[in-house]
Amino acid sequence: MTLAEASPATPPLDDADLLVVRDLRKYYPITRGLMRRVVGHVKAVDGVSFSIPAGKTLGLVGESGCGKTTTSRLILRAFDPTAGDVFFKDKALGWVNVPRLDDARLRQLRPNMQMIFQDPYGSLNPRMSLLEIVGEPLLVNGVASGPKLRDRVAELLRLVGLRPEYMTRYPHAFSGGQRQRIGIARALALQPQLVVCDEPVSALDVSIQAQTLNLLADLQEKFQLTYLFVAHDLSVVEHISDRVAVMYVGKLAEVADTEDLFLTPLHPYTEALLSAAPKPNPRLRSQRIVLSGEVADPANPPTGCYFHPRCRYAVDRCRIEAPALRELRPRHLVSCHRAEDLQLQGVPA
Ligand SMILES: Nc1ncnc2c1ncn2[C@@H]1O[C@H](COP(=O)(O)OP(=O)(O)OP(=O)(O)O)[C@@H](O)[C@H]1O
Ligand code: SF4
Ligand SMILES: [Mg+2]
C-alpha cells in the first residue's frame, strides 16, 4: 500500500520528520442498561496533531488522565484510533500511515517503533533472565541466536551501563534504575527509529531520574533516535525535549520549542505547570500558581474551554466557546481565547 492509496487527501509530509500525527482521536463509548445503549463517549484523545523530526524529542506533558498513554499507544498501534492519521517514515517501507497498515506491513514496521514503560518492576517478566528479556526480540525476529545472541545482549547491556556478566540474573536482583536500563536495552535491541518513552523516570528516585535521562540523551545521540517523551511534570522533559506539547483533557493546549515554552508560555495551564515545577535555584522560581479543582472528566467535560473552571483568567467567552489551537507566533501554537492579551509568567529554561 502506498501512502497515496492510504490517504488521498493528505497534505504533503516534510521529509525532515519521522513521525507526523494528524487529528488523532480515540473515543470510548459509555454504555448503559442491558441493551448496552451508547449514552456518551470518553474522548480520551480528541484531535491531537504534532510532528517529530528525525533524531529529535517531543515532550508530551499533562496531568493524570489527559490522554498521554492513549496517544502513545495509538501511535504504536496497540489499538486502533477512532479517527486520524499517524504517518511514520519507516527505514524500509518509506512513509506509511500506521492505523491503515495491513498485518503484514505492521509486522515489518513494529521493530522500528519501540516503547519504554513507566513501571520498571511490572514491565519485566520476573521469570526471565536478562539474556532472555533483552534477547527475546532478537530471537523472535530471527535476528540472532546462540552465541551471536549472547554477544549482542552483552553489547546492549554495556550500552546501557550494565555489566554483561549480569546476563544470567533475574530482574529481582536489580534496583529500579537498573531495571529501567534493562527495559531500555530491550527496547533498543532491534535498532528502532522511534522510541516512545511513557513516563520512564516517574517511578524512580530523583537522583536516579537524572542518570536515566542522561543515558537516554546519550543513546539518542549515538543512534540518532527519535523520542516521544511522556511525563506529567515539565521539569522532567525540559532538558531532553527539543519541543514540548502540553495536553489537557484529550486536546493540546500549547505546543512550542522548549525554550520558548518555558520563557514565554502562552497558555494559562502551561503557566501553572511551570510555576509548580521544582527549580534548584529558588530565586528562579516564579510565584506558585495553585490549580484549584480537579482535572475535567473526559466523559463529561465542561462547556467552552475545558480549562475554564480552573483558569484564573477566564471570561464569559471561555465558558461558551471552545478555543482552537492556532499558531500565534512562528512555531508556537496555543489554544486560548486570551493568548494575545495575557502576560504570563515563564521561567528561564
Ligand atoms: N479502555 C478505556 N475505556 C474507557 N476509558 C478509558 C480507557 N482507557 C483510558 N480511558 C480514559 O481515557 C483517559 C486518558 O487516559 P490515559 O491513560 O491516556 O491518560 P494519561 O495521560 O496517560 O494518564 P496517567 O498520567 O495517569 O498515565 C482517562 O480518562 C482514562 O480513564
Ligand atoms: S480560553 Fe479562557 S479559560 Fe481557557 S485558558 Fe484561555 S483564558 Fe483560560
Ligand atoms: Mg499514562
Side-chain angles (χ1 to χ4, degrees):
M1 180 177 61
T2 66
L3 180 64
E5 284 161 359
S7 191
T10 298
L13 297 160
D14 185 339
D15 255 335
D17 288 331
L18 180 79
L19 182 78
V20 179
V21 173
R22 287 200 183 139
D23 204 19
L24 196 60
R25 289 165 200 268
K26 183 69 185 177
Y27 296 175
Y28 293 106
I30 305 166
T31 55
R32 289 267 154 74
L34 273 179
M35 303 303 287
R36 302 188 62 79
R37 197 165 48 88
V38 176
V39 293
H41 287 93
V42 179
K43 296 183 175 177
V45 176
D46 195 12
V48 164
S49 302
F50 56 74
S51 52
I52 317 180
K56 303 284 184 192
T57 300
L58 178 82
L60 182 63
V61 175
E63 285 164 290
S64 185
C66 72
K68 305 180 297 293
T69 296
T70 308
T71 303
S72 308
R73 306 199 68 194
L74 287 171
I75 290 169
L76 300 173
R77 183 107 177 246
F79 40 71
D80 289 325
T82 307
D85 296 311
V86 177
F87 298 111
F88 178 75
K89 198 168 73 190
D90 182 86
K91 55 190 168 196
L93 299 169
W95 279 112
V96 293
N97 192 358
V98 181
R100 293 168 195 244
L101 280 183
D102 57 40
D103 288 351
R105 295 284 169 112
L106 195 56
R107 265 197 304 280
Q108 250 180 296
L109 175 81
R110 288 230 181 270
N112 296 332
M113 296 175 133
Q114 295 291 318
M115 183 135 177
I116 298 170
F117 300 92
Q118 172 175 358
D119 176 12
Y121 293 88
S123 57
L124 303 177
N125 186 335
R127 279 179 289 276
M128 283 164 83
S129 68
L130 263 54
L131 173 64
E132 291 167 310
I133 290 171
V134 179
E136 188 178 53
L138 296 161
L139 202 60
V140 169
N141 285 277
V143 175
S145 59
K148 226 180 116 197
L149 182 74
R150 292 184 83 88
D151 289 349
R152 177 75 180 128
V153 170
E155 187 189 339
L156 284 160
L157 291 179
R158 252 184 250 116
L159 262 181
V160 299
L162 293 172
R163 294 159 67 147
E165 304 90 274
Y166 292 167
M167 200 185 292
T168 51
R169 298 191 189 171
Y170 291 80
H172 68 82
F174 298 92
S175 68
Q178 287 173 319
R179 285 181 206 218
Q180 201 49 296
R181 285 169 191 261
I182 301 166
I184 295 169
R186 181 181 159 101
L188 295 191
L190 294 170
Q191 300 177 296
Q193 294 172 274
L194 175 73
V195 182
V196 176
C197 311
D198 191 357
E199 310 230 21
V201 300
S202 308
L204 306 177
D205 290 346
V206 177
S207 59
I208 309 295
Q209 284 191 1
Q211 287 175 18
T212 311
L213 289 171
N214 287 339
L215 171 67
L216 286 169
D218 289 347
L219 292 168
Q220 175 167 47
E221 206 179 296
K222 200 173 260 168
F223 300 109
Q224 286 90 50
L225 297 168
T226 305
Y227 289 153
L228 173 65
F229 194 102
V230 169
H232 54 255
D233 185 342
L234 270 170
S235 63
V236 169
V237 302
E238 179 176 354
H239 297 293
I240 199 153
S241 303
D242 300 283
R243 204 165 159 76
V244 175
V246 177
M247 203 167 173
Y248 192 76
V249 195
K251 295 176 186 284
L252 294 182
E254 184 163 3
V255 189
D257 292 342
T258 309
E259 208 177 304
D260 197 14
L261 186 110
F262 274 71
L263 262 181
T264 53
L266 293 174
H267 198 286
Y269 181 55
T270 312
E271 182 191 45
L273 289 181
L274 281 172
S275 81
K279 279 271 157 202
N281 180 349
R283 280 191 304 133
L284 293 181
R285 200 176 296 153
S286 52
Q287 204 179 1
R288 185 167 180 152
I289 302 162
V290 180
L291 277 177
S292 56
E294 291 294 303
V295 190
D297 176 3
N300 185 23
T303 55
C305 172
Y306 289 177
F307 189 57
H308 89 251
R310 304 169 82 194
C311 181
R312 55 186 191 154
Y313 308 105
V315 292
D316 285 345
R317 183 184 178 194
C318 308
R319 289 176 256 277
I320 303 160
E321 194 186 325
L325 191 71
R326 59 204 165 100
E327 191 165 10
L328 191 68
R329 295 207 300 253
R331 298 184 53 75
H332 198 144
L333 288 76
V334 63
S335 92
C336 168
H337 295 309
R338 303 197 59 201
E340 281 89 347
D341 9 302
L342 297 175
Q343 292 294 320
L344 304 181
Q345 227 177 77
V347 291

